[in-house]
Amino acid sequence: VAPTLMLTVSEAMLASAGERACPALEASFGRDPLIDRALLVAARNLDARVASRGMDELRKFVLLGLSSADAKTRTESAYALARFGDLDSLTQLVAGLETETDGRARRALERAVLGLSGMRCTGDLGHPPAMQGLVEQVDAGDTLVRSCAQSALARLSGQSFGDAPQAWWNWIAGS
C-alpha cells in the first residue's frame, strides 16, 4: 500500500471515528512501523475540532510512539505530541529526551520541546502535578534535558530558578 494512501485512510479513520478508533489503534500498535508512522502523522494533522472530542484517548495512542523500537516512529510521535500544546505533552517530551539515543528522533524531541516551551501551554501552571515532570528534569544528568526543562519552566512561569529544583518546588507551593 502506498504511504500516501495509508495516510489518507488513517486521517479519514481518525477524523470519522475519533476516540472510538483509539483503543483499536493502541491494540494494533507496534506490528508495522510504517503503519504506526502513518497513523501518528494522521494524528498530528487532525483538525483541532475533531481531535478535541477524543483528546485523552488520542494522547494515549500518540504516547505509545515515544517508546517504539523504531526511531522514525518515535520522531513522528514527538511531532504529534507537540500538537497537543499542553503541559502534560511538554513533560512527556522532556522525559523522552533523557532516554533518546537516535539523533533524528532526539532533534524532533528538542524541536517539539522548544516549540511548546515558546508558547503558553494550556493547563494550570500552579498545579504541581502539571509541572512535576519538568521540575524533576531540572537537575537531570543530561545537559540538554536540563536546559530544556529549565527553559520551559522559565518561559511558562516567568520565573528563573535555573537548576535548583527546591526553588521551583517552593515557587509551585507558593502559587
Side-chain angles (χ1 to χ4, degrees), residues 22-151:
C22 292
L25 295 175
E26 288 177 41
S28 65
F29 195 84
R31 293 185 186 159
D32 184 335
L34 187 60
I35 292 173
D36 293 345
R37 287 193 300 271
L39 289 167
L40 288 166
V41 170
R44 178 176 65 178
N45 293 335
L46 271 182
D47 182 279
R49 291 165 295 161
V50 172
S52 66
R53 293 189 310 229
M55 194 65 80
D56 291 336
E57 291 298 319
L58 188 58
R59 181 191 318 282
K60 288 179 197 172
F61 169 70
V62 170
L63 282 172
L64 288 174
L66 285 181
S67 59
S68 172
D70 180 65
K72 290 180 180 177
T73 300
R74 293 192 307 273
T75 298
E76 289 304 333
S77 183
Y79 289 134
L81 195 57
R83 292 277 301 194
F84 286 98
D86 63 0
L87 284 173
D88 291 335
S89 297
L90 181 60
T91 300
Q92 292 293 331
L93 290 165
V94 170
L97 269 173
E98 189 169 21
T99 58
E100 185 56 62
T101 57
D102 179 79
R104 184 176 176 182
R106 189 168 177 81
R107 283 188 300 278
L109 284 163
E110 291 167 11
R111 283 192 294 270
V113 166
L114 294 174
L116 276 178
S117 64
M119 62 184 197
R120 187 157 182 98
C121 294
T122 59
D124 181 4
L125 295 180
H127 184 41
M131 295 182 84
Q132 178 180 0
L134 291 173
V135 173
E136 289 171 355
Q137 301 299 326
V138 161
D139 62 352
D142 184 291
T143 305
L144 179 62
V145 173
R146 250 190 344 262
S147 175
C148 284
Q150 292 168 21
S151 173

